[in-house]
Amino acid sequence: MTANPARILWGVGTSRTMRAHWMLAELDLPYERCAMTSRSGETLTPEYTQLNPSQKIPALQEGDFVLTESAAIVNYLAGRYGAAKHLCPPTESKGRARYDQWCFFAMMELDANTLYVIRKHEDLPHIYGEAPNALQAAREGFVRQAKAAVARLEGAPYVLGDAFSGADILLTTCLSGAIRRKIELPDALHAYLLRTTARAAYQHALRLNQRDAA
Ligand SMILES: N[C@@H](CCC(=O)N[C@@H](CS)C(=O)NCC(=O)O)C(=O)O
């Protein structure tokens, strides 16, 4: 892949930045990497705040167009450049509705409602406070919600069936985040992760998602 200054991905080092690097790798799109990391203060500069007023990574820039929110970036790239690779179903189809269902499920039930609650109260209590009850409920909530994915993945290799899609990028990054937090997952989800993380694009993105990637 050669660098293309017209496309820049801001951010490395987190499961959310990984989503964007992974989709870019699936699509073999050239881009420049701006390797800023979380909680380093780099997202707080006036220059970056102008780009992303929420002061978070990742952000994707294509010329004048700036897009934030990792799931929106994944879906934009898949929709705009991924038709031939079928990385997300066409809009207004039932397939797309099902795709959206899994994307929102991963982002809300797994990422926002449980993993991020754990992150806030386990890693950042000096900011968000100690909240052992919320922490315990979030850990149990993740396990309970993950059962919905098990029910789906016992009958199919990927969330949409036989084809890998952007929804698998979102789900995989949430499940990997849970494993890093020592949340026990059922065997069906470990088997799923073996399938998705064996992809060449995943391995490539994993390297590019590190600050010091060559
Ligand atoms: N909903 C956003 C969340 C982005 C987010 O929370 N990013 C974190 C890193 S994972 C961040 O940039 N935090 C501010 C900072 O680290 O300075 C997304 O999915 O892109």
Side-chain angles (χ1 to χ4, degrees), residues 71-83:
I73 294 170
V74 164
N75 288 356
Y76 163 72
L77 292 169
R80 188 167 172 92
Y81 304 106

Side-chain angles (χ1 to χ4, degrees), residues 14-17 19 37-44 54-58 68-71 107 111 116 119:
T14 80
S15 57
R16 295 177 181 118
T17 56
R19 292 168 189 154
T37 53
S38 173
R39 303 273 156 199
S40 60
E42 292 164 294
T43 62
L44 307 179
S54 84
Q55 301 182 313
K56 292 191 168 197
I57 48 174
T68 64
E69 290 298 324
S70 55
M107 291 303 89
D111 193 334
Y116 201 57
R119 160 103 172 122

Side-chain angles (χ1 to χ4, degrees), residues 45-171:
T45 64
E47 295 76 22
Y48 189 73
T49 304
Q50 199 168 13
L51 202 73
N52 182 4
S54 84
Q55 301 182 313
K56 292 191 168 197
I57 48 174
L60 177 76
Q61 187 174 9
E62 286 183 338
D64 293 343
F65 178 64
V66 177
L67 191 64
T68 64
E69 290 298 324
S70 55
I73 294 170
V74 164
N75 288 356
Y76 163 72
L77 292 169
R80 188 167 172 92
Y81 304 106
K85 296 197 170 182
H86 305 292
L87 288 168
C88 75
T91 51
E92 295 169 24
S93 65
K94 285 187 179 161
R96 180 53 176 257
R98 188 66 71 212
Y99 174 90
D100 288 344
Q101 174 193 318
W102 284 105
C103 291
F104 286 119
F105 168 79
M107 291 303 89
M108 288 305 303
E109 302 305 332
L110 302 185
D111 193 334
N113 280 351
T114 51
L115 286 178
Y116 201 57
V117 173
I118 298 168
R119 160 103 172 122
K120 288 201 292 197
H121 298 299
E122 208 162 69
D123 300 347
L124 307 166
H126 52 290
I127 300 172
Y128 295 102
E130 303 274 358
N133 291 352
L135 200 50
Q136 181 65 17
R139 286 182 160 277
E140 289 167 6
F142 189 98
V143 170
R144 207 166 42 249
Q145 290 302 322
K147 287 186 183 147
V150 173
R152 175 66 187 128
L153 292 166
E154 277 173 346
Y158 301 109
V159 293
L160 290 189
D162 290 332
F164 176 87
S165 73
D168 293 296
I169 291 183
L170 302 183
L171 182 59

Side-chain angles (χ1 to χ4, degrees), residues 1 19-29 31 77-78 81-82 85 87 164-166 168-169 195-205:
M1 262 187 244
R19 292 168 189 154
H21 286 287
W22 187 358
M23 182 52 91
L24 285 161
E26 289 286 346
L27 296 167
D28 203 20
L29 290 172
Y31 65 104
L77 292 169
Y81 304 106
K85 296 197 170 182
L87 288 168
F164 176 87
S165 73
D168 293 296
I169 291 183
R195 280 193 290 282
T196 55
T197 61
R199 297 176 73 80
Y202 175 89
Q203 296 296 333
H204 184 75

